Amino acid sequence: MPDLPDGWTPGGPLNAGTLKTEYAVRPLGTDVSRPRLSWIATAPGYGATQTAYRILVASTPELLTPESADVWDSGTVSSARTFGIEYDGPPLTARTRYHWTVQLWDGLDRQGEWATPEWFETGLQDEGFGSARWIGGQVESAPLLRKAFALDGTVRRARLYASGLGYADLRLNGQAVSDAVLDPGFTDYDHTVLYVTHDVTELVRAGDNVVGAELGRGFFGLTSPNAWRWHEAPWTAEPRLIARLVVEYDDGHTTEVVSDESWRITGGPTLSDSLYTGETYDARRALPAWDATGFDDSAWSAASVVDAPKGQLQGQAHEPIRVVETVAPVELTEVRPGVWIADFGQTTAGWTKLTVTAPAGTVVGLTHGETLADGNVVAVNRHVEGDRIQRDEYIAAGNGVEEWEPRFSYKGFRYVQIDGLTERPDVLMRVAHSDVGTVTRFTSAQAPYEQFDQAMRRTILNNLHGIPTDTPFMEKNGWTGDAQVGGPTMLATLDMARFFTKWLGDIRDSQAESGQLPVIVPSSGWGFTDLSPATEWPTVYPFLLREMHRSYGDERLLREHWDSLTRYLAWELDRVDDGLSVSVLGDWLPPGYGRGPAPEDRRLTGTAYLYRAVLAAAEIGELIGKPNDYRKAAAELADGLNRTFLDREAGHYRSADDPDYRQTSNAVPLAFGIVPDELVPRVAANLAADVEARGFHLNTGCLGVGELLPVLTAHGYGEAATKVALQRSYPSWGYWFDLGADTMWEKWEEDSRSRNHYFQGTVVQWIYENVAGLRNVDAGWERIVVRPDARDETSSAGIHTDTIRGRVSVVWRQVSRVLSLEVQVPVGTTAEVHVPSAASSEVTVVPGQFASEPSYQDGYTVYTVPAGHWSFTSRSA
């Protein structure tokens, strides 16, 4: 900054907003002993920096002042950090709400206002569930559990802590305790079991009360035989519940209701439930008001105390699954008497809500699928035994208008086939997924780019159900390779901090004693020898940890996983043979290869991904002060790969048994920095030449598809990358959308078995980083690069991203020879802005006096700018 003090801003002082605890606003029931606090620092003007902060924590909002804060006063701390600030006061008390605020100082030592207070509430922590026991019993259908109790005073606060496995629909006095569904989240139950905290203050009352639950199987008690052996998982058991209700009164005394043998149980109207086959519900068995007072449960039996799962109970910290949208059919057709097909016009994950008036005993079938064939919804899953797939059945009670929707399974679908009714059915689509927030909005004059962005966003969300799945229709498995390739796009599009923190814990829980990781997480035990070893899949572990630091600056996460990470990499490196890592999957599903890997030697991609993984581990070790030899291991892997697969004379990589040029085999080494420096231009040129020779088509599977376009663009072939991106003939994204796609597909072919699969949709990362031009460099968006270097075929693009430091935005527009570029940089971030230009003299910047002196590099004038809103204008020749 020319002639200005560090932290200078012409506007007002620095203030804090968007206060969060453990990445959440007002988390209810955190079990973290030293929760991390964060805020967004804001100030008008340019170049603002935070130089200090002061945090106050108090037991009530009234005490949240510097004179009276009764829990913790951090004092004035000299620091620019705005996130990851650990609470450092006295030990926190279980089941307690804490209020906090923060005040900031800027580079001129000016003091901001105290931020609007926020709160967090602790969970059970070390206190646990007290005398509560796991309960259940042998019943012929989904268990109903209830407990009547009385309260004798004015309630100040009431909390229900509960875990129902696999899922629990919790009720209090006939009302749902939350809007969460398919709760709690799926884990490796032998290691971790999640419980959820519910604020039920408004649901309890003086006098008689009833707490109840209906339990579903989920992956805990799945009985449908399937290829991944979920029905034989080591934890498999009948559904069960543990619950602790704590009611506090105005006069200070408390009442507790805990799960034990005094609860009552019976089999409910849900006759069966399966994540793969669907649910059967007999409304004739429904018990009105079973979960409210005044119900006679004398025909029920005493619940049994059952074995606890092996896993440790801990508070659920990631976002719950919720119904986020309700959609009416765009078309409802009677395809033959008594058989109807509803087309909802979009491919989603969720279920169908049915409204029906029918005689008692009428069976209404609801079969869900993504495609149609021969007048039927296609619901076939070769991985699950039996003919029933994604089919719900509702048996009418015959008592007038009846409404029903399933609660213990979800489906991937666009179409629903309804049978059993002679009258026109009334159905609605209920879209349900983990309720993660959207952080990015993208716009462009090139409509396909916007279409791809929206489709990828929808596809990712459709695959978030407590874990990142591969498809909501077929598998519902957490394939590590899918998250490996999709992780950066997921982090760029959505707020994944809590979700990925949870899933990284699942990865650690899934680790074998040897250090090996399976290809799906969680795992029933499948995936250690089945389709394994597949290096490109579980190497997501170090890569995702590194990407989490890049997005959120999360060093605690790195420290918590270091030991497990090093054990895993020791296992991988121990099986390296002659500098190469053996892998059985490779570049999965390139065009023309159906259900299988690409033809090239899978040791190439296996070694490349292990190389990137150990480099990521080296960086992690350096960040947290853990010495390691991973850079040496990476160099040895690069040598082994180049020695075996690099044809130095021809300037490209090839497999000895595959004479065909494979784009992935060349794009991945270029992207990961494995190609020797002197050969990079030739390898890149050959890659571009192959793309052009194929009529600007790709021949990549899931591993290469996300690397191809960025690599072409980085080496000066942005026009070729654009032609591939906008291609309309097979294989291409445009080909899918011309066939009616609204989500990303698993295969490039029209007969793709899954039409809700994000691992081939990573073109969106190129759109964000190269078309819009926004790239996060590192450490929680501390540095960004703005470089719109794929501007062919569009006249404008814009991206707005809400980062952990605040909003970053890049918007550019080309009109004739004039390009305008607007960049918003938040406090704590430095931007390196590459302005397309014929020469540096052709660029103007406002306010120019606060930007660095420009340099000129290969068609771009480069500025470094601090926080503020910047306007650049350039002219081309």
Side-chain angles (χ1 to χ4, degrees):
M1 301 292 296
D3 302 320
L4 293 171
D6 183 39
W8 182 89
T9 175
L14 205 61
N15 288 307
T18 318
L19 275 59
K20 293 184 178 182
T21 306
E22 290 296 316
Y23 298 114
V25 176
R26 302 178 181 176
L28 186 67
T30 178
D31 273 348
V32 178
S33 60
R34 298 179 65 189
R36 293 167 298 178
L37 311 176
S38 69
W39 55 86
I40 302 296
T42 60
Y46 296 85
T49 58
Q50 174 190 300
T51 58
Y53 65 80
R54 183 182 181 184
I55 297 170
L56 303 178
V57 181
S59 58
T60 68
E62 294 75 22
L63 293 175
L64 205 56
T65 69
E67 297 74 29
S68 57
D70 61 337
V71 178
W72 182 48
D73 182 344
S74 71
T76 303
V77 179
S78 297
S79 174
R81 287 190 69 90
T82 59
F83 52 83
I85 312 298
E86 289 189 344
Y87 166 81
D88 197 25
L92 298 172
T93 303
R95 302 183 292 102
T96 302
R97 179 170 292 184
Y98 294 91
H99 303 264
W100 72 282
T101 185
V102 64
Q103 186 180 50
L104 309 181
W105 282 260
D106 69 8
L108 294 180
D109 202 29
R110 293 183 299 180
Q111 188 174 313
E113 300 292 326
W114 285 103
T116 301
E118 279 295 355
W119 56 260
F120 63 90
E121 189 170 306
T122 53
L124 296 175
Q125 297 193 319
D126 293 338
E127 191 176 278
F129 274 80
S131 61
R133 296 293 179 265
W134 285 92
I135 59 173
Q138 291 295 324
V139 290
E140 73 280 10
S141 56
L144 301 180
L145 291 157
R146 73 188 304 270
K147 170 70 176 180
F149 62 97
L151 300 179
D152 59 358
T154 302
V155 175
R156 179 177 68 86
R157 189 174 76 166
R159 298 290 183 268
L160 175 61
Y161 307 92
S163 178
L165 300 181
Y167 301 130
D169 182 8
L170 298 165
R171 303 275 164 169
L172 215 161
N173 293 328
Q175 302 295 314
V177 302
S178 80
D179 59 356
V181 296
L182 302 175
D183 214 33
F186 172 37
T187 59
D188 180 328
Y189 300 110
D190 276 356
H191 289 84
T192 301
V193 175
L194 301 179
Y195 76 87
V196 185
T197 302
H198 301 283
D199 183 348
V200 294
T201 307
E202 300 302 318
L203 298 181
V204 297
R205 56 185 178 238
D208 293 337
N209 292 263
V210 172
V211 59
E214 183 174 9
L215 304 181
R217 293 187 169 275
F219 279 110
F220 177 76
L222 188 73
T223 56
S224 305
N226 60 90
W228 313 281
R229 302 191 290 275
W230 292 118
H231 58 297
E232 299 174 348
W235 56 72
T236 298
E238 290 299 300
R240 56 205 56 208
L241 172 75
I242 190 169
R244 181 184 178 193
L245 173 64
V246 182
V247 181
E248 302 173 9
Y249 299 91
D250 280 349
D251 64 5
H253 82 284
T254 64
T255 293
E256 291 205 22
V257 179
V258 299
S259 53
D260 56 24
E261 59 268 34
S262 68
W263 285 51
R264 308 289 285 172
I265 187 171
T266 192
T270 302
L271 303 185
S272 64
D273 65 279
S274 165
L275 284 163
Y276 294 119
T277 65
E279 301 180 36
T280 296
Y281 185 92
D282 189 345
R284 298 170 301 181
R285 293 170 52 100
L287 301 169
W290 71 270
D291 51 0
T293 56
F295 178 81
D296 180 8
D297 66 1
S298 59
W300 292 32
S301 59
S304 300
V305 173
V306 299
D307 291 340
K310 293 180 181 179
Q312 180 179 357
L313 277 161
Q314 67 180 45
Q316 179 166 289
H318 68 291
E319 298 86 346
I321 300 169
R322 290 190 174 97
V323 174
V324 298
E325 186 180 7
T326 300
V327 181
V330 296
E331 188 175 358
L332 183 60
T333 306
E334 187 173 22
V335 293
R336 50 190 174 276
V339 180
W340 305 74
I341 291 181
D343 177 2
F344 290 96
Q346 68 181 62
T347 308
T348 197
W351 52 80
T352 306
K353 180 177 181 179
L354 172 70
T355 302
V356 64
T357 303
T362 300
V363 179
V364 183
L366 302 156
T367 303
H368 302 72
E370 296 173 348
T371 58
L372 302 175
D374 302 322
N376 292 290
V377 168
V378 177
V380 178
N381 188 342
R382 64 185 178 86
H383 302 295
V384 178
E385 287 187 14
D387 295 331
R388 177 172 174 171
I389 300 297
Q390 293 208 140
R391 178 177 170 85
D392 293 329
E393 292 180 346
Y394 179 79
I395 305 172
N399 54 9
V401 177
E402 305 173 41
E403 287 188 351
W404 176 78
E405 58 186 300
R407 283 166 292 168
F408 302 127
S409 62
Y410 71 94
K411 295 87 179 170
F413 70 105
R414 170 175 171 168
Y415 304 96
V416 175
Q417 184 169 314
I418 307 108
D419 57 66
L421 291 176
T422 56
E423 301 296 325
R424 182 181 179 88
D426 184 351
V427 291
L428 295 171
M429 169 187 278
R430 302 277 274 169
V431 180
H433 54 68
S434 294
D435 195 14
V436 299
T438 294
V439 298
T440 294
R441 180 173 178 267
F442 169 81
T443 58
S444 176
Q446 182 60 262
Y449 290 157
E450 291 189 352
Q451 186 179 40
F452 299 165
D453 166 55
Q454 294 161 9
M456 185 61 165
R457 188 185 311 267
R458 185 180 300 117
T459 307
I460 293 170
L461 288 169
N462 288 341
N463 279 284
L464 300 185
H465 292 87
I467 63 172
T469 67
D470 60 333
T471 160
F473 174 69
M474 285 283 176
E475 301 192 25
K476 300 179 173 68
N477 286 321
W479 281 91
T480 51
D482 295 42
Q484 170 100 280
V485 297
T489 309
M490 298 159 86
L491 287 163
T493 308
L494 304 167
D495 181 359
M496 299 294 289
R498 289 187 284 163
F499 187 97
F500 270 152
T501 296
K502 183 266 184 187
W503 191 61
L504 283 161
D506 294 334
I507 293 177
R508 181 175 53 199
D509 284 351
S510 298
Q511 188 169 34
E513 287 296 322
S514 65
Q516 183 184 4
L517 294 172
V519 294
I520 61 171
V521 171
S523 168
S524 65
W526 190 95
F528 286 99
T529 57
D530 315 83
L531 292 183
S532 183
T535 323
E536 307 92 337
W537 267 245
T539 47
V540 68
Y541 192 24
F543 176 67
L544 186 55
L545 284 167
R546 187 67 182 89
E547 290 299 296
M548 286 287 281
H549 185 266
R550 196 181 309 280
S551 293
Y552 306 112
D554 195 329
E555 293 177 8
R556 177 190 282 182
L557 196 64
L558 306 183
R559 291 192 296 271
E560 289 176 343
H561 285 269
W562 179 253
D563 289 345
S564 296
L565 173 60
T566 55
R567 286 180 53 230
Y568 163 62
L569 288 178
W571 181 84
E572 286 284 8
L573 291 169
D574 187 57
R575 67 183 189 85
V576 168
D577 183 13
D578 195 24
L580 301 174
S581 178
V582 174
S583 178
V584 302
L585 288 179
D587 191 28
W588 197 252
L589 294 180
Y593 285 89
R595 287 292 303 149
E600 61 260 43
D601 193 320
R602 286 153 234 168
R603 293 178 300 169
L604 191 157
T605 50
T607 305
Y609 274 82
L610 183 56
Y611 169 88
R612 185 174 72 167
V614 295
L615 273 188
E619 294 174 10
I620 290 169
E622 291 159 7
L623 285 166
I624 62 175
K626 296 288 187 178
N628 60 81
D629 292 326
Y630 287 132
R631 293 192 182 276
K632 178 183 177 183
E636 292 171 352
L637 288 164
D639 287 345
L641 190 153
N642 288 332
R643 181 176 64 251
T644 307
F645 300 110
L646 176 59
D647 185 332
R648 292 176 175 271
E649 184 176 344
H652 64 77
Y653 291 80
R654 65 158 53 125
S655 300
D657 57 351
D658 179 32
D660 185 28
Y661 184 95
R662 305 302 302 177
Q663 293 169 4
T664 294
S665 297
N666 291 271
V668 165
L670 282 166
F672 294 178
I674 296 173
V675 184
D677 291 345
E678 69 276 11
L679 290 178
V680 166
R682 290 184 63 201
V683 174
N686 283 331
L687 178 62
D690 183 79
V691 166
E692 183 173 2
R694 296 177 190 271
F696 298 100
H697 287 93
L698 49 75
N699 77 341
T700 56
C702 69
L703 299 182
V705 69
E707 310 298 345
L708 177 63
L709 304 191
V711 160
L712 288 171
T713 306
H715 293 284
Y717 303 100
E719 184 178 0
T722 299
K723 289 181 178 180
V724 173
L726 297 177
Q727 181 64 252
R728 307 304 295 188
S729 58
Y730 168 86
S732 69
W733 300 279
Y735 174 74
W736 287 344
F737 288 92
D738 287 345
L739 290 172
D742 66 302
T743 46
M744 297 299 183
W745 293 2
E746 182 183 25
K747 292 167 54 179
W748 296 109
E749 287 73 25
E750 183 177 0
D751 65 349
S752 178
R753 69 161 195 161
S754 168
R755 297 194 172 191
N756 219 338
H757 219 104
Y758 60 78
F759 72 2
Q760 304 275 31
T762 46
V763 60
V764 171
Q765 192 71 18
W766 173 80
I767 291 172
Y768 290 169
E769 295 187 351
N770 297 95
V771 178
L774 175 60
R775 305 168 204 181
N776 172 24
V777 177
D778 204 8
W781 293 83
E782 183 177 25
R783 292 185 297 128
I784 62 174
V785 170
V786 176
R787 184 183 172 95
D789 51 6
R791 303 182 312 281
D792 297 284
E793 305 298 329
T794 187
S795 59
S796 67
I799 188 168
H800 306 269
T801 298
D802 293 319
T803 78
I804 198 164
R805 297 180 190 269
R807 173 159 289 189
V808 175
S809 68
V810 176
V811 180
W812 65 265
R813 182 177 300 276
Q814 178 89 42
V815 179
S816 187
R817 295 176 53 232
V818 178
L819 183 139
S820 60
L821 173 63
E822 303 285 325
V823 180
Q824 177 71 39
V825 183
V827 174
T829 296
T830 300
E832 183 182 286
V833 183
H834 297 232
V835 185
S837 56
S840 59
S841 60
E842 297 292 327
V843 179
T844 59
V845 54
V846 177
Q849 66 269 33
F850 305 136
S852 68
E853 290 296 320
S855 61
Y856 189 74
Q857 304 172 11
D858 299 325
Y860 294 86
T861 300
V862 182
Y863 295 86
T864 299
V865 297
H869 185 93
W870 305 88
S871 298
F872 303 87
T873 305
S874 66
R875 286 183 178 275
S876 60

